[in-house]
């Protein structure tokens, strides 16, 4: 069925809009939609990188996955990582944004310095913090021994009780500028007349923050938290660079689990199963984000 033209032979606005969308839809279908559907289909097979053939196994991969105690541990580690790697930089970024919003002489310089670590590649940040937390020659152990807090070196990345903490700290350091930038923009949009009126009425700093700033920034705070959680749920490079998921899977998140299952254990079908579950979790966060964006608009 051909497109209908106006009487003068020109396309309507709707038809022009559709034609402009076609390249984007085609690229999306080729790069994102097809691989996603293919991965879902593959999750119902026993496909491996070691053998060319495969057979259909139905939901067997999913049954094995949710019966696997290691996978349940991976879900728990992912949850802890997402919660704390989102909450810590959000809190510190909000505090730093409030400080920089005061507009003192060096605020612009400090804002630029803060953004430096945001542009550093995640792999480089992982190596940097691996050096800081190194159990033999790391600077953290040297500082703690220097001030008398420890007597012997601590293997921060080699201990399952501290490795995830170290990874969360590194990720928080990377993400703090991102939160700061968005929250600072939100702070600068808060009407100053409301703050001045509250000051005249005798409100202190905490009351101004709680009664005026937070309500005005509620939407941007929520969106930033959801976007940060989505990013952490997908994050790969820092945990892989620092620990490769160890020790004893203490830092293995869903992103690392997909990679190791596919490219170290060669089980593409099982990796696709984990990836499908991972995509469902991402979809839940994305749904919340898009609904909030629509409501705010």
């Amino acid at each position: 069925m051909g497109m209908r033209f106006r009487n003068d032979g020109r396309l309507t606005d709707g038809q022009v809009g559709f034609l402009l969308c076609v390249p984007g839809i085609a690229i999306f279908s080729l790069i994102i939609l097809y691989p996603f559907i293919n991965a879902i289909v593959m999750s119902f097979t026993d496909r491996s990188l070691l053998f060319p053939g495969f057979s259909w196994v139905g939901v067997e991969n999913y049954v094995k996955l949710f019966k696997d105690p290691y996978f349940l541990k991976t879900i728990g580690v992912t949850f802890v990582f997402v919660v704390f790697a989102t909450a810590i930089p959000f809190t510190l970024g909000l505090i730093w944004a409030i400080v920089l919003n005061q507009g003192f002489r060096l605020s612009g310089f400090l804002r630029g310095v803060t953004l430096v670590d945001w542009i550093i590649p995640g792999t480089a940040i992982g190596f940097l913090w691996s050096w800081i937390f190194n159990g033999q020659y790391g600077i953290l152990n040297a500082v703690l021994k220097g001030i008398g807090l420890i007597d012997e070196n601590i293997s921060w990345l080699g201990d399952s009780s501290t490795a995830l903490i170290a990874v969360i700290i590194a990720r928080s350091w990377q993400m703090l500028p991102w939160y700061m930038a968005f929250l600072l923009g939100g702070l600068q949009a808060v009407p100053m007349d409301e703050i001045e009126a509250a000051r005249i009425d005798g409100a202190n700093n905490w009351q101004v923050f709680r009664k005026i700033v937070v309500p005005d920034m509620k939407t941007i705070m929520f969106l930033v938290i959801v976007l940060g959680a989505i990013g952490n749920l997908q994050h790969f490079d820092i945990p892989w660079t620092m620990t490769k998921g160890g020790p004893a899977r203490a830092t293995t998140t869903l992103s690392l689990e997909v990679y190791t299952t596919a490219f170290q254990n060669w089980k593409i079908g099982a990796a696709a199963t984990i990836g499908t579950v991972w995509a469902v979790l991402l979809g839940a966060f994305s749904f919340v984000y898009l609904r909030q964006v629509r409501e705010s608009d």
Side-chain angles (χ1 to χ4, degrees), residues 225-255:
I225 289 174
V226 174
L227 281 177
I230 292 173
N232 288 325
L233 193 56
Q234 301 178 84
H235 189 64
F236 174 84
D237 47 2
I238 289 179
W240 180 258
T241 304
M242 294 181 67
T243 64
K244 290 182 171 55
R249 303 175 63 92
T251 59
T252 299
T253 59
L254 285 170
S255 59

PDB file of all heavy atoms in Angstrom, residues 225-255:
ATOM      1  N   ILE A 225      18.441   8.368  40.856  1.00  0.00           N
ATOM      2  CA  ILE A 225      18.622   7.108  41.581  1.00  0.00           C
ATOM      3  C   ILE A 225      18.306   5.922  40.676  1.00  0.00           C
ATOM      4  O   ILE A 225      19.054   4.934  40.631  1.00  0.00           O
ATOM      5  CB  ILE A 225      17.741   7.080  42.842  1.00  0.00           C
ATOM      6  CG1 ILE A 225      18.299   8.058  43.887  1.00  0.00           C
ATOM      7  CG2 ILE A 225      17.676   5.675  43.431  1.00  0.00           C
ATOM      8  CD1 ILE A 225      17.416   8.211  45.112  1.00  0.00           C
ATOM      9  N   VAL A 226      17.196   5.998  39.937  1.00  0.00           N
ATOM     10  CA  VAL A 226      16.816   4.889  39.059  1.00  0.00           C
ATOM     11  C   VAL A 226      17.844   4.701  37.943  1.00  0.00           C
ATOM     12  O   VAL A 226      18.260   3.574  37.638  1.00  0.00           O
ATOM     13  CB  VAL A 226      15.415   5.115  38.470  1.00  0.00           C
ATOM     14  CG1 VAL A 226      15.088   4.039  37.443  1.00  0.00           C
ATOM     15  CG2 VAL A 226      14.368   5.115  39.569  1.00  0.00           C
ATOM     16  N   LEU A 227      18.282   5.801  37.329  1.00  0.00           N
ATOM     17  CA  LEU A 227      19.303   5.691  36.283  1.00  0.00           C
ATOM     18  C   LEU A 227      20.606   5.137  36.839  1.00  0.00           C
ATOM     19  O   LEU A 227      21.277   4.328  36.186  1.00  0.00           O
ATOM     20  CB  LEU A 227      19.536   7.066  35.648  1.00  0.00           C
ATOM     21  CG  LEU A 227      18.519   7.534  34.610  1.00  0.00           C
ATOM     22  CD1 LEU A 227      18.852   8.943  34.141  1.00  0.00           C
ATOM     23  CD2 LEU A 227      18.471   6.585  33.424  1.00  0.00           C
ATOM     24  N   GLY A 228      20.977   5.573  38.042  1.00  0.00           N
ATOM     25  CA  GLY A 228      22.187   5.052  38.668  1.00  0.00           C
ATOM     26  C   GLY A 228      22.078   3.569  38.946  1.00  0.00           C
ATOM     27  O   GLY A 228      23.038   2.803  38.735  1.00  0.00           O
ATOM     28  N   ALA A 229      20.917   3.129  39.414  1.00  0.00           N
ATOM     29  CA  ALA A 229      20.710   1.705  39.685  1.00  0.00           C
ATOM     30  C   ALA A 229      20.783   0.896  38.395  1.00  0.00           C
ATOM     31  O   ALA A 229      21.367  -0.204  38.376  1.00  0.00           O
ATOM     32  CB  ALA A 229      19.363   1.495  40.378  1.00  0.00           C
ATOM     33  N   ILE A 230      20.201   1.415  37.313  1.00  0.00           N
ATOM     34  CA  ILE A 230      20.270   0.725  36.021  1.00  0.00           C
ATOM     35  C   ILE A 230      21.724   0.592  35.571  1.00  0.00           C
ATOM     36  O   ILE A 230      22.160  -0.467  35.112  1.00  0.00           O
ATOM     37  CB  ILE A 230      19.439   1.467  34.961  1.00  0.00           C
ATOM     38  CG1 ILE A 230      17.943   1.367  35.291  1.00  0.00           C
ATOM     39  CG2 ILE A 230      19.704   0.922  33.567  1.00  0.00           C
ATOM     40  CD1 ILE A 230      17.056   2.213  34.397  1.00  0.00           C
ATOM     41  N   GLY A 231      22.484   1.678  35.708  1.00  0.00           N
ATOM     42  CA  GLY A 231      23.894   1.635  35.326  1.00  0.00           C
ATOM     43  C   GLY A 231      24.683   0.633  36.146  1.00  0.00           C
ATOM     44  O   GLY A 231      25.527  -0.098  35.617  1.00  0.00           O
ATOM     45  N   ASN A 232      24.420   0.560  37.449  1.00  0.00           N
ATOM     46  CA  ASN A 232      25.132  -0.382  38.309  1.00  0.00           C
ATOM     47  C   ASN A 232      24.716  -1.821  38.040  1.00  0.00           C
ATOM     48  O   ASN A 232      25.522  -2.740  38.176  1.00  0.00           O
ATOM     49  CB  ASN A 232      24.887  -0.035  39.783  1.00  0.00           C
ATOM     50  CG  ASN A 232      25.615   1.222  40.210  1.00  0.00           C
ATOM     51  OD1 ASN A 232      26.716   1.492  39.743  1.00  0.00           O
ATOM     52  ND2 ASN A 232      25.008   2.007  41.075  1.00  0.00           N
ATOM     53  N   LEU A 233      23.474  -2.012  37.658  1.00  0.00           N
ATOM     54  CA  LEU A 233      23.011  -3.356  37.340  1.00  0.00           C
ATOM     55  C   LEU A 233      23.698  -3.888  36.087  1.00  0.00           C
ATOM     56  O   LEU A 233      23.850  -5.106  35.915  1.00  0.00           O
ATOM     57  CB  LEU A 233      21.492  -3.342  37.148  1.00  0.00           C
ATOM     58  CG  LEU A 233      20.761  -4.688  37.104  1.00  0.00           C
ATOM     59  CD1 LEU A 233      21.046  -5.496  38.369  1.00  0.00           C
ATOM     60  CD2 LEU A 233      19.263  -4.472  36.961  1.00  0.00           C
ATOM     61  N   GLN A 234      24.134  -2.988  35.216  1.00  0.00           N
ATOM     62  CA  GLN A 234      24.827  -3.385  33.985  1.00  0.00           C
ATOM     63  C   GLN A 234      26.341  -3.340  34.111  1.00  0.00           C
ATOM     64  O   GLN A 234      27.053  -3.793  33.209  1.00  0.00           O
ATOM     65  CB  GLN A 234      24.424  -2.456  32.831  1.00  0.00           C
ATOM     66  CG  GLN A 234      22.945  -2.428  32.526  1.00  0.00           C
ATOM     67  CD  GLN A 234      22.645  -1.441  31.417  1.00  0.00           C
ATOM     68  OE1 GLN A 234      22.759  -1.743  30.239  1.00  0.00           O
ATOM     69  NE2 GLN A 234      22.260  -0.233  31.791  1.00  0.00           N
ATOM     70  N   HIS A 235      26.845  -2.789  35.213  1.00  0.00           N
ATOM     71  CA  HIS A 235      28.273  -2.471  35.297  1.00  0.00           C
ATOM     72  C   HIS A 235      29.143  -3.726  35.269  1.00  0.00           C
ATOM     73  O   HIS A 235      28.821  -4.742  35.885  1.00  0.00           O
ATOM     74  CB  HIS A 235      28.546  -1.673  36.570  1.00  0.00           C
ATOM     75  CG  HIS A 235      29.930  -1.118  36.623  1.00  0.00           C
ATOM     76  ND1 HIS A 235      30.388  -0.191  35.719  1.00  0.00           N
ATOM     77  CD2 HIS A 235      30.970  -1.383  37.458  1.00  0.00           C
ATOM     78  CE1 HIS A 235      31.643   0.106  36.004  1.00  0.00           C
ATOM     79  NE2 HIS A 235      32.019  -0.605  37.044  1.00  0.00           N
ATOM     80  N   PHE A 236      30.271  -3.614  34.569  1.00  0.00           N
ATOM     81  CA  PHE A 236      31.149  -4.768  34.397  1.00  0.00           C
ATOM     82  C   PHE A 236      32.617  -4.460  34.667  1.00  0.00           C
ATOM     83  O   PHE A 236      33.303  -5.227  35.345  1.00  0.00           O
ATOM     84  CB  PHE A 236      31.008  -5.305  32.963  1.00  0.00           C
ATOM     85  CG  PHE A 236      31.958  -6.411  32.624  1.00  0.00           C
ATOM     86  CD1 PHE A 236      31.659  -7.722  32.956  1.00  0.00           C
ATOM     87  CD2 PHE A 236      33.156  -6.148  31.972  1.00  0.00           C
ATOM     88  CE1 PHE A 236      32.536  -8.755  32.653  1.00  0.00           C
ATOM     89  CE2 PHE A 236      34.038  -7.169  31.656  1.00  0.00           C
ATOM     90  CZ  PHE A 236      33.724  -8.481  31.996  1.00  0.00           C
ATOM     91  N   ASP A 237      33.131  -3.346  34.148  1.00  0.00           N
ATOM     92  CA  ASP A 237      34.575  -3.177  34.033  1.00  0.00           C
ATOM     93  C   ASP A 237      35.315  -3.085  35.365  1.00  0.00           C
ATOM     94  O   ASP A 237      36.365  -3.713  35.539  1.00  0.00           O
ATOM     95  CB  ASP A 237      34.925  -1.969  33.147  1.00  0.00           C
ATOM     96  CG  ASP A 237      34.124  -0.731  33.489  1.00  0.00           C
ATOM     97  OD1 ASP A 237      33.315  -0.781  34.431  1.00  0.00           O
ATOM     98  OD2 ASP A 237      34.294   0.289  32.797  1.00  0.00           O
ATOM     99  N   ILE A 238      34.796  -2.338  36.353  1.00  0.00           N
ATOM    100  CA  ILE A 238      35.520  -2.201  37.620  1.00  0.00           C
ATOM    101  C   ILE A 238      35.566  -3.514  38.403  1.00  0.00           C
ATOM    102  O   ILE A 238      36.647  -3.933  38.843  1.00  0.00           O
ATOM    103  CB  ILE A 238      34.931  -1.051  38.462  1.00  0.00           C
ATOM    104  CG1 ILE A 238      35.291   0.290  37.827  1.00  0.00           C
ATOM    105  CG2 ILE A 238      35.446  -1.098  39.906  1.00  0.00           C
ATOM    106  CD1 ILE A 238      34.751   1.493  38.566  1.00  0.00           C
ATOM    107  N   PRO A 239      34.435  -4.221  38.614  1.00  0.00           N
ATOM    108  CA  PRO A 239      34.539  -5.515  39.310  1.00  0.00           C
ATOM    109  C   PRO A 239      35.445  -6.511  38.590  1.00  0.00           C
ATOM    110  O   PRO A 239      36.202  -7.250  39.233  1.00  0.00           O
ATOM    111  CB  PRO A 239      33.089  -6.010  39.358  1.00  0.00           C
ATOM    112  CG  PRO A 239      32.258  -4.781  39.249  1.00  0.00           C
ATOM    113  CD  PRO A 239      33.019  -3.863  38.353  1.00  0.00           C
ATOM    114  N   TRP A 240      35.377  -6.530  37.254  1.00  0.00           N
ATOM    115  CA  TRP A 240      36.208  -7.478  36.515  1.00  0.00           C
ATOM    116  C   TRP A 240      37.682  -7.113  36.629  1.00  0.00           C
ATOM    117  O   TRP A 240      38.540  -7.991  36.825  1.00  0.00           O
ATOM    118  CB  TRP A 240      35.783  -7.524  35.056  1.00  0.00           C
ATOM    119  CG  TRP A 240      36.596  -8.481  34.238  1.00  0.00           C
ATOM    120  CD1 TRP A 240      37.607  -8.188  33.373  1.00  0.00           C
ATOM    121  CD2 TRP A 240      36.467  -9.905  34.232  1.00  0.00           C
ATOM    122  NE1 TRP A 240      38.115  -9.331  32.818  1.00  0.00           N
ATOM    123  CE2 TRP A 240      37.436 -10.408  33.325  1.00  0.00           C
ATOM    124  CE3 TRP A 240      35.629 -10.799  34.897  1.00  0.00           C
ATOM    125  CZ2 TRP A 240      37.581 -11.763  33.080  1.00  0.00           C
ATOM    126  CZ3 TRP A 240      35.774 -12.159  34.640  1.00  0.00           C
ATOM    127  CH2 TRP A 240      36.744 -12.625  33.753  1.00  0.00           C
ATOM    128  N   THR A 241      37.999  -5.840  36.518  1.00  0.00           N
ATOM    129  CA  THR A 241      39.392  -5.406  36.593  1.00  0.00           C
ATOM    130  C   THR A 241      39.978  -5.645  37.980  1.00  0.00           C
ATOM    131  O   THR A 241      41.133  -6.072  38.108  1.00  0.00           O
ATOM    132  CB  THR A 241      39.504  -3.909  36.246  1.00  0.00           C
ATOM    133  OG1 THR A 241      38.944  -3.675  34.956  1.00  0.00           O
ATOM    134  CG2 THR A 241      40.960  -3.460  36.250  1.00  0.00           C
ATOM    135  N   MET A 242      39.178  -5.420  39.018  1.00  0.00           N
ATOM    136  CA  MET A 242      39.698  -5.500  40.379  1.00  0.00           C
ATOM    137  C   MET A 242      39.743  -6.921  40.915  1.00  0.00           C
ATOM    138  O   MET A 242      40.704  -7.302  41.606  1.00  0.00           O
ATOM    139  CB  MET A 242      38.857  -4.619  41.318  1.00  0.00           C
ATOM    140  CG  MET A 242      38.969  -3.134  41.026  1.00  0.00           C
ATOM    141  SD  MET A 242      37.994  -2.123  42.171  1.00  0.00           S
ATOM    142  CE  MET A 242      38.878  -2.391  43.717  1.00  0.00           C
ATOM    143  N   THR A 243      38.725  -7.719  40.658  1.00  0.00           N
ATOM    144  CA  THR A 243      38.634  -9.032  41.315  1.00  0.00           C
ATOM    145  C   THR A 243      38.276 -10.184  40.391  1.00  0.00           C
ATOM    146  O   THR A 243      38.372 -11.338  40.809  1.00  0.00           O
ATOM    147  CB  THR A 243      37.578  -8.985  42.437  1.00  0.00           C
ATOM    148  OG1 THR A 243      36.288  -8.728  41.847  1.00  0.00           O
ATOM    149  CG2 THR A 243      37.892  -7.899  43.456  1.00  0.00           C
ATOM    150  N   LYS A 244      37.781  -9.883  39.187  1.00  0.00           N
ATOM    151  CA  LYS A 244      37.277 -10.920  38.276  1.00  0.00           C
ATOM    152  C   LYS A 244      36.199 -11.786  38.925  1.00  0.00           C
ATOM    153  O   LYS A 244      36.052 -12.968  38.621  1.00  0.00           O
ATOM    154  CB  LYS A 244      38.419 -11.779  37.741  1.00  0.00           C
ATOM    155  CG  LYS A 244      39.336 -11.030  36.770  1.00  0.00           C
ATOM    156  CD  LYS A 244      40.408 -11.938  36.226  1.00  0.00           C
ATOM    157  CE  LYS A 244      41.170 -11.247  35.104  1.00  0.00           C
ATOM    158  NZ  LYS A 244      41.742  -9.954  35.476  1.00  0.00           N
ATOM    159  N   GLY A 245      35.449 -11.195  39.842  1.00  0.00           N
ATOM    160  CA  GLY A 245      34.353 -11.905  40.479  1.00  0.00           C
ATOM    161  C   GLY A 245      34.708 -12.610  41.768  1.00  0.00           C
ATOM    162  O   GLY A 245      33.830 -13.066  42.496  1.00  0.00           O
ATOM    163  N   GLY A 246      35.983 -12.715  42.083  1.00  0.00           N
ATOM    164  CA  GLY A 246      36.415 -13.416  43.297  1.00  0.00           C
ATOM    165  C   GLY A 246      36.557 -12.470  44.468  1.00  0.00           C
ATOM    166  O   GLY A 246      36.217 -11.290  44.361  1.00  0.00           O
ATOM    167  N   PRO A 247      37.051 -12.988  45.581  1.00  0.00           N
ATOM    168  CA  PRO A 247      37.340 -14.409  45.831  1.00  0.00           C
ATOM    169  C   PRO A 247      36.067 -15.163  46.210  1.00  0.00           C
ATOM    170  O   PRO A 247      35.164 -14.587  46.830  1.00  0.00           O
ATOM    171  CB  PRO A 247      38.311 -14.345  47.023  1.00  0.00           C
ATOM    172  CG  PRO A 247      37.894 -13.094  47.755  1.00  0.00           C
ATOM    173  CD  PRO A 247      37.438 -12.118  46.701  1.00  0.00           C
ATOM    174  N   ALA A 248      35.998 -16.414  45.845  1.00  0.00           N
ATOM    175  CA  ALA A 248      34.846 -17.271  46.153  1.00  0.00           C
ATOM    176  C   ALA A 248      33.537 -16.635  45.705  1.00  0.00           C
ATOM    177  O   ALA A 248      32.543 -16.680  46.412  1.00  0.00           O
ATOM    178  CB  ALA A 248      34.793 -17.586  47.645  1.00  0.00           C
ATOM    179  N   ARG A 249      33.581 -15.986  44.514  1.00  0.00           N
ATOM    180  CA  ARG A 249      32.388 -15.366  43.905  1.00  0.00           C
ATOM    181  C   ARG A 249      31.818 -14.233  44.760  1.00  0.00           C
ATOM    182  O   ARG A 249      30.653 -13.864  44.608  1.00  0.00           O
ATOM    183  CB  ARG A 249      31.308 -16.420  43.651  1.00  0.00           C
ATOM    184  CG  ARG A 249      31.750 -17.566  42.772  1.00  0.00           C
ATOM    185  CD  ARG A 249      30.684 -18.634  42.657  1.00  0.00           C
ATOM    186  NE  ARG A 249      29.492 -18.096  42.019  1.00  0.00           N
ATOM    187  CZ  ARG A 249      29.246 -18.145  40.719  1.00  0.00           C
ATOM    188  NH1 ARG A 249      30.124 -18.687  39.900  1.00  0.00           N
ATOM    189  NH2 ARG A 249      28.130 -17.664  40.220  1.00  0.00           N
ATOM    190  N   ALA A 250      32.636 -13.662  45.621  1.00  0.00           N
ATOM    191  CA  ALA A 250      32.146 -12.621  46.522  1.00  0.00           C
ATOM    192  C   ALA A 250      31.798 -11.336  45.793  1.00  0.00           C
ATOM    193  O   ALA A 250      31.046 -10.502  46.313  1.00  0.00           O
ATOM    194  CB  ALA A 250      33.190 -12.326  47.609  1.00  0.00           C
ATOM    195  N   THR A 251      32.344 -11.131  44.586  1.00  0.00           N
ATOM    196  CA  THR A 251      32.061  -9.916  43.815  1.00  0.00           C
ATOM    197  C   THR A 251      31.475 -10.240  42.442  1.00  0.00           C
ATOM    198  O   THR A 251      31.514  -9.404  41.541  1.00  0.00           O
ATOM    199  CB  THR A 251      33.343  -9.075  43.632  1.00  0.00           C
ATOM    200  OG1 THR A 251      34.329  -9.856  42.948  1.00  0.00           O
ATOM    201  CG2 THR A 251      33.907  -8.631  44.977  1.00  0.00           C
ATOM    202  N   THR A 252      30.954 -11.445  42.274  1.00  0.00           N
ATOM    203  CA  THR A 252      30.380 -11.844  40.997  1.00  0.00           C
ATOM    204  C   THR A 252      28.961 -11.283  40.864  1.00  0.00           C
ATOM    205  O   THR A 252      28.050 -11.720  41.572  1.00  0.00           O
ATOM    206  CB  THR A 252      30.339 -13.376  40.857  1.00  0.00           C
ATOM    207  OG1 THR A 252      31.671 -13.893  40.927  1.00  0.00           O
ATOM    208  CG2 THR A 252      29.714 -13.780  39.529  1.00  0.00           C
ATOM    209  N   THR A 253      28.788 -10.332  39.977  1.00  0.00           N
ATOM    210  CA  THR A 253      27.468  -9.782  39.683  1.00  0.00           C
ATOM    211  C   THR A 253      26.924 -10.448  38.424  1.00  0.00           C
ATOM    212  O   THR A 253      27.596 -11.263  37.793  1.00  0.00           O
ATOM    213  CB  THR A 253      27.548  -8.265  39.480  1.00  0.00           C
ATOM    214  OG1 THR A 253      28.441  -7.979  38.395  1.00  0.00           O
ATOM    215  CG2 THR A 253      28.060  -7.566  40.737  1.00  0.00           C
ATOM    216  N   LEU A 254      25.699 -10.094  38.048  1.00  0.00           N
ATOM    217  CA  LEU A 254      25.086 -10.712  36.876  1.00  0.00           C
ATOM    218  C   LEU A 254      25.885 -10.463  35.603  1.00  0.00           C
ATOM    219  O   LEU A 254      25.989 -11.351  34.747  1.00  0.00           O
ATOM    220  CB  LEU A 254      23.653 -10.196  36.710  1.00  0.00           C
ATOM    221  CG  LEU A 254      22.627 -10.763  37.689  1.00  0.00           C
ATOM    222  CD1 LEU A 254      21.312 -10.000  37.576  1.00  0.00           C
ATOM    223  CD2 LEU A 254      22.398 -12.248  37.430  1.00  0.00           C
ATOM    224  N   SER A 255      26.447  -9.278  35.481  1.00  0.00           N
ATOM    225  CA  SER A 255      27.218  -8.972  34.270  1.00  0.00           C
ATOM    226  C   SER A 255      28.447  -9.874  34.172  1.00  0.00           C
ATOM    227  O   SER A 255      28.776 -10.377  33.092  1.00  0.00           O
ATOM    228  CB  SER A 255      27.636  -7.498  34.277  1.00  0.00           C
ATOM    229  OG  SER A 255      28.425  -7.195  35.410  1.00  0.00           O
TER     230      SER A 255
END
